[in-house]
Amino acid sequence: MFKRIVVPLDGSRLAESALTVAADIARRARARVDLLLVHEPGPFAEYENRAGIAVTPSIEQRYLHGLVEGLGDLAASAGIFVETGQPVAKIGEHARRHGCDLIVMTTHGRTGFSRAWIGSVADGVVRESSVPVLLLRASEAGAPRPAMPFRRILVALDGSMLAEEILEPARSVAELGDAELILTQVAQQVPIVVPDAMVPYAMPIMQVDDEATDALRQGAARYLASVAAKLSSDSAGGTLPAGRVKWKVVIDPNPAKALTEMIGEVTADAIAMTTHGRGASRLFIGSIADKVLRATPVPLLLYRPKAHQPQR
């Protein structure tokens, strides 16, 4: 379960739209919230924001204090931090130094005090972070987000232990919001080469090996069923009722497209996956996370497996 959550901000309403979700997660988990504002260093102590107003660290502190006051019952334990440096590095450093176990941020939000572009920063944070990152698509005009909108979370797996590292944070989010987990594995059809004897020197004809593809489907089904059983097993530390863990195998040559379509089919309001992990399904999650993020408006819970985290 989450104990300390950090919300990166840049002074914009778009970035602030992550506060509603972060605050509700914190209330449900009885966690602390850190508000972190990072701006890249400039040639002067003061610099101008988008409105042409000179901004100093003290002004940034007051800005964060104002946001903390809006957190209500969380205000007493909330922390405010103003940092100068490279945003991605500072966000990751803060999470490590203060023991944060979740980062909640929007994927876009340009201008504000820090001049940080959360859209580009988000990509770097996911690549560098040692903790799960919940990415929220920025609301229009920075409109407040509904608190904990997650009722059905699609979890992308590929049969590897690396991909399974997303299960614990996904389960934690599901437990907080009484949400369902829908485990899925996207497998590609197994091809078979059929030479065309009627056309010498022609390209071989590619057909689907139905038997091998069906065997792959059955193997994926057994795998997902076993993972679902573990998530709701007391011996595995699971607390999700069996009825709230479902699974589905999809055969599709395009994993990103398949996942995006599944979000609508199962009416998922969030998707969870690791950023790396290769397994029996031939699904390389690291290469499709960005495609899914761009193609769907639902939040993404992403985690970089420990084996792929940068050595420090």
mmCIF file with all atom_site columns, all heavy atoms in Angstrom, residues 126-127 156 158 160-166 273-278 283-287 289 303-305 307-309:
data_model
loop_
_atom_site.group_PDB
_atom_site.id
_atom_site.type_symbol
_atom_site.label_atom_id
_atom_site.label_alt_id
_atom_site.label_comp_id
_atom_site.label_asym_id
_atom_site.label_entity_id
_atom_site.label_seq_id
_atom_site.pdbx_PDB_ins_code
_atom_site.Cartn_x
_atom_site.Cartn_y
_atom_site.Cartn_z
_atom_site.occupancy
_atom_site.B_iso_or_equiv
_atom_site.pdbx_formal_charge
_atom_site.auth_seq_id
_atom_site.auth_comp_id
_atom_site.auth_asym_id
_atom_site.auth_atom_id
_atom_site.pdbx_PDB_model_num
ATOM 1   N N   . VAL A 1 126 ? 9.147  8.414   -16.142 1.00 0.00 ? 126 VAL A N   1
ATOM 2   C CA  . VAL A 1 126 ? 8.823  6.989   -16.279 1.00 0.00 ? 126 VAL A CA  1
ATOM 3   C C   . VAL A 1 126 ? 10.081 6.179   -16.549 1.00 0.00 ? 126 VAL A C   1
ATOM 4   O O   . VAL A 1 126 ? 10.261 5.085   -16.017 1.00 0.00 ? 126 VAL A O   1
ATOM 5   C CB  . VAL A 1 126 ? 7.787  6.779   -17.395 1.00 0.00 ? 126 VAL A CB  1
ATOM 6   C CG1 . VAL A 1 126 ? 7.617  5.299   -17.696 1.00 0.00 ? 126 VAL A CG1 1
ATOM 7   C CG2 . VAL A 1 126 ? 6.450  7.389   -16.994 1.00 0.00 ? 126 VAL A CG2 1
ATOM 8   N N   . ARG A 1 127 ? 10.970 6.725   -17.373 1.00 0.00 ? 127 ARG A N   1
ATOM 9   C CA  . ARG A 1 127 ? 12.189 6.002   -17.733 1.00 0.00 ? 127 ARG A CA  1
ATOM 10  C C   . ARG A 1 127 ? 13.175 5.919   -16.574 1.00 0.00 ? 127 ARG A C   1
ATOM 11  O O   . ARG A 1 127 ? 13.965 4.978   -16.487 1.00 0.00 ? 127 ARG A O   1
ATOM 12  C CB  . ARG A 1 127 ? 12.858 6.671   -18.930 1.00 0.00 ? 127 ARG A CB  1
ATOM 13  C CG  . ARG A 1 127 ? 12.051 6.602   -20.211 1.00 0.00 ? 127 ARG A CG  1
ATOM 14  C CD  . ARG A 1 127 ? 12.745 7.368   -21.330 1.00 0.00 ? 127 ARG A CD  1
ATOM 15  N NE  . ARG A 1 127 ? 11.925 7.418   -22.523 1.00 0.00 ? 127 ARG A NE  1
ATOM 16  C CZ  . ARG A 1 127 ? 11.880 6.467   -23.443 1.00 0.00 ? 127 ARG A CZ  1
ATOM 17  N NH1 . ARG A 1 127 ? 12.627 5.381   -23.295 1.00 0.00 ? 127 ARG A NH1 1
ATOM 18  N NH2 . ARG A 1 127 ? 11.106 6.583   -24.499 1.00 0.00 ? 127 ARG A NH2 1
ATOM 19  N N   . ALA A 1 156 ? -1.800 -5.120  -18.442 1.00 0.00 ? 156 ALA A N   1
ATOM 20  C CA  . ALA A 1 156 ? -1.157 -5.774  -19.581 1.00 0.00 ? 156 ALA A CA  1
ATOM 21  C C   . ALA A 1 156 ? 0.021  -6.619  -19.108 1.00 0.00 ? 156 ALA A C   1
ATOM 22  O O   . ALA A 1 156 ? 0.945  -6.118  -18.463 1.00 0.00 ? 156 ALA A O   1
ATOM 23  C CB  . ALA A 1 156 ? -0.675 -4.718  -20.580 1.00 0.00 ? 156 ALA A CB  1
ATOM 24  N N   . ASP A 1 158 ? 2.718  -10.144 -20.231 1.00 0.00 ? 158 ASP A N   1
ATOM 25  C CA  . ASP A 1 158 ? 3.254  -10.836 -21.394 1.00 0.00 ? 158 ASP A CA  1
ATOM 26  C C   . ASP A 1 158 ? 3.868  -12.182 -21.031 1.00 0.00 ? 158 ASP A C   1
ATOM 27  O O   . ASP A 1 158 ? 4.588  -12.772 -21.827 1.00 0.00 ? 158 ASP A O   1
ATOM 28  C CB  . ASP A 1 158 ? 4.279  -9.959  -22.110 1.00 0.00 ? 158 ASP A CB  1
ATOM 29  C CG  . ASP A 1 158 ? 5.548  -9.739  -21.293 1.00 0.00 ? 158 ASP A CG  1
ATOM 30  O OD1 . ASP A 1 158 ? 5.618  -10.248 -20.153 1.00 0.00 ? 158 ASP A OD1 1
ATOM 31  O OD2 . ASP A 1 158 ? 6.470  -9.070  -21.786 1.00 0.00 ? 158 ASP A OD2 1
ATOM 32  N N   . SER A 1 160 ? 6.046  -12.715 -18.622 1.00 0.00 ? 160 SER A N   1
ATOM 33  C CA  . SER A 1 160 ? 7.367  -12.592 -18.012 1.00 0.00 ? 160 SER A CA  1
ATOM 34  C C   . SER A 1 160 ? 7.258  -12.095 -16.579 1.00 0.00 ? 160 SER A C   1
ATOM 35  O O   . SER A 1 160 ? 6.299  -11.412 -16.200 1.00 0.00 ? 160 SER A O   1
ATOM 36  C CB  . SER A 1 160 ? 8.249  -11.635 -18.818 1.00 0.00 ? 160 SER A CB  1
ATOM 37  O OG  . SER A 1 160 ? 7.819  -10.297 -18.648 1.00 0.00 ? 160 SER A OG  1
ATOM 38  N N   . MET A 1 161 ? 8.279  -12.393 -15.786 1.00 0.00 ? 161 MET A N   1
ATOM 39  C CA  . MET A 1 161 ? 8.325  -11.915 -14.406 1.00 0.00 ? 161 MET A CA  1
ATOM 40  C C   . MET A 1 161 ? 8.512  -10.404 -14.368 1.00 0.00 ? 161 MET A C   1
ATOM 41  O O   . MET A 1 161 ? 8.041  -9.736  -13.446 1.00 0.00 ? 161 MET A O   1
ATOM 42  C CB  . MET A 1 161 ? 9.445  -12.614 -13.646 1.00 0.00 ? 161 MET A CB  1
ATOM 43  C CG  . MET A 1 161 ? 9.229  -14.106 -13.445 1.00 0.00 ? 161 MET A CG  1
ATOM 44  S SD  . MET A 1 161 ? 10.541 -14.893 -12.486 1.00 0.00 ? 161 MET A SD  1
ATOM 45  C CE  . MET A 1 161 ? 10.295 -14.096 -10.892 1.00 0.00 ? 161 MET A CE  1
ATOM 46  N N   . LEU A 1 162 ? 9.194  -9.863  -15.377 1.00 0.00 ? 162 LEU A N   1
ATOM 47  C CA  . LEU A 1 162 ? 9.383  -8.410  -15.421 1.00 0.00 ? 162 LEU A CA  1
ATOM 48  C C   . LEU A 1 162 ? 8.039  -7.702  -15.558 1.00 0.00 ? 162 LEU A C   1
ATOM 49  O O   . LEU A 1 162 ? 7.774  -6.724  -14.864 1.00 0.00 ? 162 LEU A O   1
ATOM 50  C CB  . LEU A 1 162 ? 10.298 -8.036  -16.583 1.00 0.00 ? 162 LEU A CB  1
ATOM 51  C CG  . LEU A 1 162 ? 11.762 -8.435  -16.458 1.00 0.00 ? 162 LEU A CG  1
ATOM 52  C CD1 . LEU A 1 162 ? 12.522 -8.081  -17.726 1.00 0.00 ? 162 LEU A CD1 1
ATOM 53  C CD2 . LEU A 1 162 ? 12.413 -7.743  -15.261 1.00 0.00 ? 162 LEU A CD2 1
ATOM 54  N N   . ALA A 1 163 ? 7.202  -8.187  -16.458 1.00 0.00 ? 163 ALA A N   1
ATOM 55  C CA  . ALA A 1 163 ? 5.897  -7.565  -16.650 1.00 0.00 ? 163 ALA A CA  1
ATOM 56  C C   . ALA A 1 163 ? 5.022  -7.699  -15.412 1.00 0.00 ? 163 ALA A C   1
ATOM 57  O O   . ALA A 1 163 ? 4.188  -6.842  -15.131 1.00 0.00 ? 163 ALA A O   1
ATOM 58  C CB  . ALA A 1 163 ? 5.201  -8.178  -17.861 1.00 0.00 ? 163 ALA A CB  1
ATOM 59  N N   . GLU A 1 164 ? 5.214  -8.777  -14.655 1.00 0.00 ? 164 GLU A N   1
ATOM 60  C CA  . GLU A 1 164 ? 4.402  -9.012  -13.462 1.00 0.00 ? 164 GLU A CA  1
ATOM 61  C C   . GLU A 1 164 ? 4.715  -8.039  -12.329 1.00 0.00 ? 164 GLU A C   1
ATOM 62  O O   . GLU A 1 164 ? 3.958  -7.973  -11.355 1.00 0.00 ? 164 GLU A O   1
ATOM 63  C CB  . GLU A 1 164 ? 4.596  -10.451 -12.977 1.00 0.00 ? 164 GLU A CB  1
ATOM 64  C CG  . GLU A 1 164 ? 3.970  -11.491 -13.884 1.00 0.00 ? 164 GLU A CG  1
ATOM 65  C CD  . GLU A 1 164 ? 4.241  -12.913 -13.402 1.00 0.00 ? 164 GLU A CD  1
ATOM 66  O OE1 . GLU A 1 164 ? 4.629  -13.070 -12.223 1.00 0.00 ? 164 GLU A OE1 1
ATOM 67  O OE2 . GLU A 1 164 ? 4.085  -13.848 -14.198 1.00 0.00 ? 164 GLU A OE2 1
ATOM 68  N N   . GLU A 1 165 ? 5.790  -7.280  -12.440 1.00 0.00 ? 165 GLU A N   1
ATOM 69  C CA  . GLU A 1 165 ? 6.115  -6.324  -11.386 1.00 0.00 ? 165 GLU A CA  1
ATOM 70  C C   . GLU A 1 165 ? 5.089  -5.197  -11.287 1.00 0.00 ? 165 GLU A C   1
ATOM 71  O O   . GLU A 1 165 ? 5.076  -4.453  -10.314 1.00 0.00 ? 165 GLU A O   1
ATOM 72  C CB  . GLU A 1 165 ? 7.527  -5.760  -11.587 1.00 0.00 ? 165 GLU A CB  1
ATOM 73  C CG  . GLU A 1 165 ? 8.620  -6.788  -11.341 1.00 0.00 ? 165 GLU A CG  1
ATOM 74  C CD  . GLU A 1 165 ? 10.005 -6.184  -11.310 1.00 0.00 ? 165 GLU A CD  1
ATOM 75  O OE1 . GLU A 1 165 ? 10.143 -5.030  -10.855 1.00 0.00 ? 165 GLU A OE1 1
ATOM 76  O OE2 . GLU A 1 165 ? 10.962 -6.852  -11.741 1.00 0.00 ? 165 GLU A OE2 1
ATOM 77  N N   . ILE A 1 166 ? 4.227  -5.056  -12.280 1.00 0.00 ? 166 ILE A N   1
ATOM 78  C CA  . ILE A 1 166 ? 3.168  -4.052  -12.209 1.00 0.00 ? 166 ILE A CA  1
ATOM 79  C C   . ILE A 1 166 ? 2.009  -4.530  -11.346 1.00 0.00 ? 166 ILE A C   1
ATOM 80  O O   . ILE A 1 166 ? 1.153  -3.731  -10.941 1.00 0.00 ? 166 ILE A O   1
ATOM 81  C CB  . ILE A 1 166 ? 2.650  -3.709  -13.624 1.00 0.00 ? 166 ILE A CB  1
ATOM 82  C CG1 . ILE A 1 166 ? 1.765  -2.451  -13.599 1.00 0.00 ? 166 ILE A CG1 1
ATOM 83  C CG2 . ILE A 1 166 ? 1.867  -4.885  -14.206 1.00 0.00 ? 166 ILE A CG2 1
ATOM 84  C CD1 . ILE A 1 166 ? 2.436  -1.213  -13.113 1.00 0.00 ? 166 ILE A CD1 1
ATOM 85  N N   . MET A 1 273 ? 0.830  -1.219  -16.742 1.00 0.00 ? 273 MET A N   1
ATOM 86  C CA  . MET A 1 273 ? 1.814  -2.056  -17.413 1.00 0.00 ? 273 MET A CA  1
ATOM 87  C C   . MET A 1 273 ? 3.221  -1.645  -16.990 1.00 0.00 ? 273 MET A C   1
ATOM 88  O O   . MET A 1 273 ? 3.431  -0.536  -16.500 1.00 0.00 ? 273 MET A O   1
ATOM 89  C CB  . MET A 1 273 ? 1.686  -1.940  -18.939 1.00 0.00 ? 273 MET A CB  1
ATOM 90  C CG  . MET A 1 273 ? 1.990  -0.553  -19.480 1.00 0.00 ? 273 MET A CG  1
ATOM 91  S SD  . MET A 1 273 ? 1.984  -0.501  -21.303 1.00 0.00 ? 273 MET A SD  1
ATOM 92  C CE  . MET A 1 273 ? 0.246  -0.719  -21.611 1.00 0.00 ? 273 MET A CE  1
ATOM 93  N N   . THR A 1 274 ? 4.161  -2.559  -17.172 1.00 0.00 ? 274 THR A N   1
ATOM 94  C CA  . THR A 1 274 ? 5.557  -2.193  -16.982 1.00 0.00 ? 274 THR A CA  1
ATOM 95  C C   . THR A 1 274 ? 6.064  -1.589  -18.281 1.00 0.00 ? 274 THR A C   1
ATOM 96  O O   . THR A 1 274 ? 5.470  -1.764  -19.345 1.00 0.00 ? 274 THR A O   1
ATOM 97  C CB  . THR A 1 274 ? 6.422  -3.408  -16.608 1.00 0.00 ? 274 THR A CB  1
ATOM 98  O OG1 . THR A 1 274 ? 6.297  -4.394  -17.628 1.00 0.00 ? 274 THR A OG1 1
ATOM 99  C CG2 . THR A 1 274 ? 6.012  -3.986  -15.281 1.00 0.00 ? 274 THR A CG2 1
ATOM 100 N N   . THR A 1 275 ? 7.189  -0.892  -18.199 1.00 0.00 ? 275 THR A N   1
ATOM 101 C CA  . THR A 1 275 ? 7.744  -0.277  -19.393 1.00 0.00 ? 275 THR A CA  1
ATOM 102 C C   . THR A 1 275 ? 8.714  -1.197  -20.097 1.00 0.00 ? 275 THR A C   1
ATOM 103 O O   . THR A 1 275 ? 9.233  -0.864  -21.146 1.00 0.00 ? 275 THR A O   1
ATOM 104 C CB  . THR A 1 275 ? 8.462  1.035   -19.043 1.00 0.00 ? 275 THR A CB  1
ATOM 105 O OG1 . THR A 1 275 ? 9.488  0.772   -18.070 1.00 0.00 ? 275 THR A OG1 1
ATOM 106 C CG2 . THR A 1 275 ? 7.487  2.037   -18.479 1.00 0.00 ? 275 THR A CG2 1
ATOM 107 N N   . HIS A 1 276 ? 9.005  -2.347  -19.522 1.00 0.00 ? 276 HIS A N   1
ATOM 108 C CA  . HIS A 1 276 ? 9.823  -3.361  -20.173 1.00 0.00 ? 276 HIS A CA  1
ATOM 109 C C   . HIS A 1 276 ? 9.302  -4.738  -19.773 1.00 0.00 ? 276 HIS A C   1
ATOM 110 O O   . HIS A 1 276 ? 8.680  -4.894  -18.752 1.00 0.00 ? 276 HIS A O   1
ATOM 111 C CB  . HIS A 1 276 ? 11.301 -3.265  -19.780 1.00 0.00 ? 276 HIS A CB  1
ATOM 112 C CG  . HIS A 1 276 ? 11.986 -2.088  -20.382 1.00 0.00 ? 276 HIS A CG  1
ATOM 113 N ND1 . HIS A 1 276 ? 11.828 -0.822  -19.893 1.00 0.00 ? 276 HIS A ND1 1
ATOM 114 C CD2 . HIS A 1 276 ? 12.809 -1.977  -21.448 1.00 0.00 ? 276 HIS A CD2 1
ATOM 115 C CE1 . HIS A 1 276 ? 12.541 0.024   -20.625 1.00 0.00 ? 276 HIS A CE1 1
ATOM 116 N NE2 . HIS A 1 276 ? 13.147 -0.652  -21.566 1.00 0.00 ? 276 HIS A NE2 1
ATOM 117 N N   . GLY A 1 277 ? 9.631  -5.747  -20.603 1.00 0.00 ? 277 GLY A N   1
ATOM 118 C CA  . GLY A 1 277 ? 9.234  -7.101  -20.244 1.00 0.00 ? 277 GLY A CA  1
ATOM 119 C C   . GLY A 1 277 ? 8.848  -7.903  -21.463 1.00 0.00 ? 277 GLY A C   1
ATOM 120 O O   . GLY A 1 277 ? 7.885  -7.586  -22.137 1.00 0.00 ? 277 GLY A O   1
ATOM 121 N N   . ARG A 1 278 ? 9.600  -8.943  -21.744 1.00 0.00 ? 278 ARG A N   1
ATOM 122 C CA  . ARG A 1 278 ? 9.301  -9.767  -22.913 1.00 0.00 ? 278 ARG A CA  1
ATOM 123 C C   . ARG A 1 278 ? 8.968  -11.185 -22.440 1.00 0.00 ? 278 ARG A C   1
ATOM 124 O O   . ARG A 1 278 ? 9.579  -11.704 -21.514 1.00 0.00 ? 278 ARG A O   1
ATOM 125 C CB  . ARG A 1 278 ? 10.500 -9.811  -23.857 1.00 0.00 ? 278 ARG A CB  1
ATOM 126 C CG  . ARG A 1 278 ? 10.182 -10.476 -25.186 1.00 0.00 ? 278 ARG A CG  1
ATOM 127 C CD  . ARG A 1 278 ? 11.446 -10.629 -26.016 1.00 0.00 ? 278 ARG A CD  1
ATOM 128 N NE  . ARG A 1 278 ? 12.032 -9.362  -26.329 1.00 0.00 ? 278 ARG A NE  1
ATOM 129 C CZ  . ARG A 1 278 ? 11.662 -8.584  -27.341 1.00 0.00 ? 278 ARG A CZ  1
ATOM 130 N NH1 . ARG A 1 278 ? 10.657 -8.954  -28.102 1.00 0.00 ? 278 ARG A NH1 1
ATOM 131 N NH2 . ARG A 1 278 ? 12.253 -7.456  -27.573 1.00 0.00 ? 278 ARG A NH2 1
ATOM 132 N N   . LEU A 1 283 ? 5.055  -9.942  -26.656 1.00 0.00 ? 283 LEU A N   1
ATOM 133 C CA  . LEU A 1 283 ? 4.664  -8.558  -26.428 1.00 0.00 ? 283 LEU A CA  1
ATOM 134 C C   . LEU A 1 283 ? 5.791  -7.825  -25.728 1.00 0.00 ? 283 LEU A C   1
ATOM 135 O O   . LEU A 1 283 ? 6.181  -8.198  -24.625 1.00 0.00 ? 283 LEU A O   1
ATOM 136 C CB  . LEU A 1 283 ? 3.392  -8.502  -25.558 1.00 0.00 ? 283 LEU A CB  1
ATOM 137 C CG  . LEU A 1 283 ? 2.999  -7.132  -24.975 1.00 0.00 ? 283 LEU A CG  1
ATOM 138 C CD1 . LEU A 1 283 ? 2.735  -6.142  -26.087 1.00 0.00 ? 283 LEU A CD1 1
ATOM 139 C CD2 . LEU A 1 283 ? 1.774  -7.278  -24.100 1.00 0.00 ? 283 LEU A CD2 1
ATOM 140 N N   . PHE A 1 284 ? 6.328  -6.823  -26.365 1.00 0.00 ? 284 PHE A N   1
ATOM 141 C CA  . PHE A 1 284 ? 7.401  -6.038  -25.756 1.00 0.00 ? 284 PHE A CA  1
ATOM 142 C C   . PHE A 1 284 ? 6.791  -4.742  -25.245 1.00 0.00 ? 284 PHE A C   1
ATOM 143 O O   . PHE A 1 284 ? 6.582  -3.791  -25.984 1.00 0.00 ? 284 PHE A O   1
ATOM 144 C CB  . PHE A 1 284 ? 8.492  -5.756  -26.776 1.00 0.00 ? 284 PHE A CB  1
ATOM 145 C CG  . PHE A 1 284 ? 9.723  -5.121  -26.188 1.00 0.00 ? 284 PHE A CG  1
ATOM 146 C CD1 . PHE A 1 284 ? 10.125 -5.402  -24.887 1.00 0.00 ? 284 PHE A CD1 1
ATOM 147 C CD2 . PHE A 1 284 ? 10.488 -4.249  -26.937 1.00 0.00 ? 284 PHE A CD2 1
ATOM 148 C CE1 . PHE A 1 284 ? 11.259 -4.827  -24.355 1.00 0.00 ? 284 PHE A CE1 1
ATOM 149 C CE2 . PHE A 1 284 ? 11.633 -3.666  -26.410 1.00 0.00 ? 284 PHE A CE2 1
ATOM 150 C CZ  . PHE A 1 284 ? 12.033 -3.953  -25.118 1.00 0.00 ? 284 PHE A CZ  1
ATOM 151 N N   . ILE A 1 285 ? 6.461  -4.727  -23.952 1.00 0.00 ? 285 ILE A N   1
ATOM 152 C CA  . ILE A 1 285 ? 5.691  -3.633  -23.387 1.00 0.00 ? 285 ILE A CA  1
ATOM 153 C C   . ILE A 1 285 ? 6.427  -2.302  -23.488 1.00 0.00 ? 285 ILE A C   1
ATOM 154 O O   . ILE A 1 285 ? 5.836  -1.256  -23.687 1.00 0.00 ? 285 ILE A O   1
ATOM 155 C CB  . ILE A 1 285 ? 5.309  -3.955  -21.933 1.00 0.00 ? 285 ILE A CB  1
ATOM 156 C CG1 . ILE A 1 285 ? 4.320  -5.121  -21.943 1.00 0.00 ? 285 ILE A CG1 1
ATOM 157 C CG2 . ILE A 1 285 ? 4.688  -2.759  -21.237 1.00 0.00 ? 285 ILE A CG2 1
ATOM 158 C CD1 . ILE A 1 285 ? 3.856  -5.559  -20.587 1.00 0.00 ? 285 ILE A CD1 1
ATOM 159 N N   . GLY A 1 286 ? 7.753  -2.347  -23.381 1.00 0.00 ? 286 GLY A N   1
ATOM 160 C CA  . GLY A 1 286 ? 8.497  -1.098  -23.433 1.00 0.00 ? 286 GLY A CA  1
ATOM 161 C C   . GLY A 1 286 ? 8.245  -0.314  -24.706 1.00 0.00 ? 286 GLY A C   1
ATOM 162 O O   . GLY A 1 286 ? 8.221  0.908   -24.698 1.00 0.00 ? 286 GLY A O   1
ATOM 163 N N   . SER A 1 287 ? 8.031  -0.988  -25.813 1.00 0.00 ? 287 SER A N   1
ATOM 164 C CA  . SER A 1 287 ? 7.859  -0.308  -27.090 1.00 0.00 ? 287 SER A CA  1
ATOM 165 C C   . SER A 1 287 ? 6.431  0.153   -27.331 1.00 0.00 ? 287 SER A C   1
ATOM 166 O O   . SER A 1 287 ? 6.187  0.936   -28.247 1.00 0.00 ? 287 SER A O   1
ATOM 167 C CB  . SER A 1 287 ? 8.287  -1.227  -28.239 1.00 0.00 ? 287 SER A CB  1
ATOM 168 O OG  . SER A 1 287 ? 7.426  -2.335  -28.324 1.00 0.00 ? 287 SER A OG  1
ATOM 169 N N   . ALA A 1 289 ? 4.131  1.155   -24.654 1.00 0.00 ? 289 ALA A N   1
ATOM 170 C CA  . ALA A 1 289 ? 3.555  2.013   -23.617 1.00 0.00 ? 289 ALA A CA  1
ATOM 171 C C   . ALA A 1 289 ? 3.296  3.413   -24.149 1.00 0.00 ? 289 ALA A C   1
ATOM 172 O O   . ALA A 1 289 ? 2.242  4.011   -23.891 1.00 0.00 ? 289 ALA A O   1
ATOM 173 C CB  . ALA A 1 289 ? 4.477  2.065   -22.401 1.00 0.00 ? 289 ALA A CB  1
ATOM 174 N N   . TYR A 1 303 ? 5.355  1.236   -14.522 1.00 0.00 ? 303 TYR A N   1
ATOM 175 C CA  . TYR A 1 303 ? 6.441  0.911   -13.595 1.00 0.00 ? 303 TYR A CA  1
ATOM 176 C C   . TYR A 1 303 ? 7.609  0.320   -14.374 1.00 0.00 ? 303 TYR A C   1
ATOM 177 O O   . TYR A 1 303 ? 7.413  -0.565  -15.217 1.00 0.00 ? 303 TYR A O   1
ATOM 178 C CB  . TYR A 1 303 ? 5.969  -0.078  -12.539 1.00 0.00 ? 303 TYR A CB  1
ATOM 179 C CG  . TYR A 1 303 ? 7.059  -0.474  -11.553 1.00 0.00 ? 303 TYR A CG  1
ATOM 180 C CD1 . TYR A 1 303 ? 7.692  0.495   -10.777 1.00 0.00 ? 303 TYR A CD1 1
ATOM 181 C CD2 . TYR A 1 303 ? 7.461  -1.793  -11.417 1.00 0.00 ? 303 TYR A CD2 1
ATOM 182 C CE1 . TYR A 1 303 ? 8.697  0.144   -9.879  1.00 0.00 ? 303 TYR A CE1 1
ATOM 183 C CE2 . TYR A 1 303 ? 8.458  -2.156  -10.524 1.00 0.00 ? 303 TYR A CE2 1
ATOM 184 C CZ  . TYR A 1 303 ? 9.068  -1.172  -9.754  1.00 0.00 ? 303 TYR A CZ  1
ATOM 185 O OH  . TYR A 1 303 ? 10.070 -1.520  -8.891  1.00 0.00 ? 303 TYR A OH  1
ATOM 186 N N   . ARG A 1 304 ? 8.769  0.817   -14.108 1.00 0.00 ? 304 ARG A N   1
ATOM 187 C CA  . ARG A 1 304 ? 9.982  0.298   -14.734 1.00 0.00 ? 304 ARG A CA  1
ATOM 188 C C   . ARG A 1 304 ? 10.538 -0.812  -13.853 1.00 0.00 ? 304 ARG A C   1
ATOM 189 O O   . ARG A 1 304 ? 10.890 -0.566  -12.694 1.00 0.00 ? 304 ARG A O   1
ATOM 190 C CB  . ARG A 1 304 ? 11.015 1.408   -14.879 1.00 0.00 ? 304 ARG A CB  1
ATOM 191 C CG  . ARG A 1 304 ? 12.244 1.038   -15.705 1.00 0.00 ? 304 ARG A CG  1
ATOM 192 C CD  . ARG A 1 304 ? 13.151 2.255   -15.840 1.00 0.00 ? 304 ARG A CD  1
ATOM 193 N NE  . ARG A 1 304 ? 14.335 1.977   -16.623 1.00 0.00 ? 304 ARG A NE  1
ATOM 194 C CZ  . ARG A 1 304 ? 14.395 2.041   -17.938 1.00 0.00 ? 304 ARG A CZ  1
ATOM 195 N NH1 . ARG A 1 304 ? 13.312 2.362   -18.618 1.00 0.00 ? 304 ARG A NH1 1
ATOM 196 N NH2 . ARG A 1 304 ? 15.518 1.792   -18.587 1.00 0.00 ? 304 ARG A NH2 1
ATOM 197 N N   . PRO A 1 305 ? 10.610 -2.050  -14.335 1.00 0.00 ? 305 PRO A N   1
ATOM 198 C CA  . PRO A 1 305 ? 11.094 -3.158  -13.511 1.00 0.00 ? 305 PRO A CA  1
ATOM 199 C C   . PRO A 1 305 ? 12.472 -2.878  -12.936 1.00 0.00 ? 305 PRO A C   1
ATOM 200 O O   . PRO A 1 305 ? 13.292 -2.188  -13.543 1.00 0.00 ? 305 PRO A O   1
ATOM 201 C CB  . PRO A 1 305 ? 11.133 -4.337  -14.491 1.00 0.00 ? 305 PRO A CB  1
ATOM 202 C CG  . PRO A 1 305 ? 10.138 -3.989  -15.546 1.00 0.00 ? 305 PRO A CG  1
ATOM 203 C CD  . PRO A 1 305 ? 10.219 -2.501  -15.692 1.00 0.00 ? 305 PRO A CD  1
ATOM 204 N N   . ALA A 1 307 ? 15.059 -4.590  -12.716 1.00 0.00 ? 307 ALA A N   1
ATOM 205 C CA  . ALA A 1 307 ? 16.185 -5.036  -13.547 1.00 0.00 ? 307 ALA A CA  1
ATOM 206 C C   . ALA A 1 307 ? 16.540 -4.012  -14.609 1.00 0.00 ? 307 ALA A C   1
ATOM 207 O O   . ALA A 1 307 ? 17.663 -4.028  -15.129 1.00 0.00 ? 307 ALA A O   1
ATOM 208 C CB  . ALA A 1 307 ? 15.845 -6.366  -14.212 1.00 0.00 ? 307 ALA A CB  1
ATOM 209 N N   . HIS A 1 308 ? 15.609 -3.105  -14.934 1.00 0.00 ? 308 HIS A N   1
ATOM 210 C CA  . HIS A 1 308 ? 15.867 -2.110  -15.982 1.00 0.00 ? 308 HIS A CA  1
ATOM 211 C C   . HIS A 1 308 ? 16.021 -0.706  -15.432 1.00 0.00 ? 308 HIS A C   1
ATOM 212 O O   . HIS A 1 308 ? 16.104 0.246   -16.200 1.00 0.00 ? 308 HIS A O   1
ATOM 213 C CB  . HIS A 1 308 ? 14.739 -2.144  -17.008 1.00 0.00 ? 308 HIS A CB  1
ATOM 214 C CG  . HIS A 1 308 ? 14.728 -3.363  -17.864 1.00 0.00 ? 308 HIS A CG  1
ATOM 215 N ND1 . HIS A 1 308 ? 15.536 -3.516  -18.958 1.00 0.00 ? 308 HIS A ND1 1
ATOM 216 C CD2 . HIS A 1 308 ? 14.028 -4.528  -17.748 1.00 0.00 ? 308 HIS A CD2 1
ATOM 217 C CE1 . HIS A 1 308 ? 15.333 -4.702  -19.498 1.00 0.00 ? 308 HIS A CE1 1
ATOM 218 N NE2 . HIS A 1 308 ? 14.418 -5.335  -18.789 1.00 0.00 ? 308 HIS A NE2 1
ATOM 219 N N   . GLN A 1 309 ? 16.000 -0.559  -14.102 1.00 0.00 ? 309 GLN A N   1
ATOM 220 C CA  . GLN A 1 309 ? 16.178 0.764   -13.530 1.00 0.00 ? 309 GLN A CA  1
ATOM 221 C C   . GLN A 1 309 ? 17.647 1.160   -13.608 1.00 0.00 ? 309 GLN A C   1
ATOM 222 O O   . GLN A 1 309 ? 18.534 0.331   -13.465 1.00 0.00 ? 309 GLN A O   1
ATOM 223 C CB  . GLN A 1 309 ? 15.707 0.780   -12.069 1.00 0.00 ? 309 GLN A CB  1
ATOM 224 C CG  . GLN A 1 309 ? 14.209 0.624   -11.936 1.00 0.00 ? 309 GLN A CG  1
ATOM 225 C CD  . GLN A 1 309 ? 13.763 0.496   -10.490 1.00 0.00 ? 309 GLN A CD  1
ATOM 226 O OE1 . GLN A 1 309 ? 14.549 0.699   -9.575  1.00 0.00 ? 309 GLN A OE1 1
ATOM 227 N NE2 . GLN A 1 309 ? 12.501 0.152   -10.295 1.00 0.00 ? 309 GLN A NE2 1
#
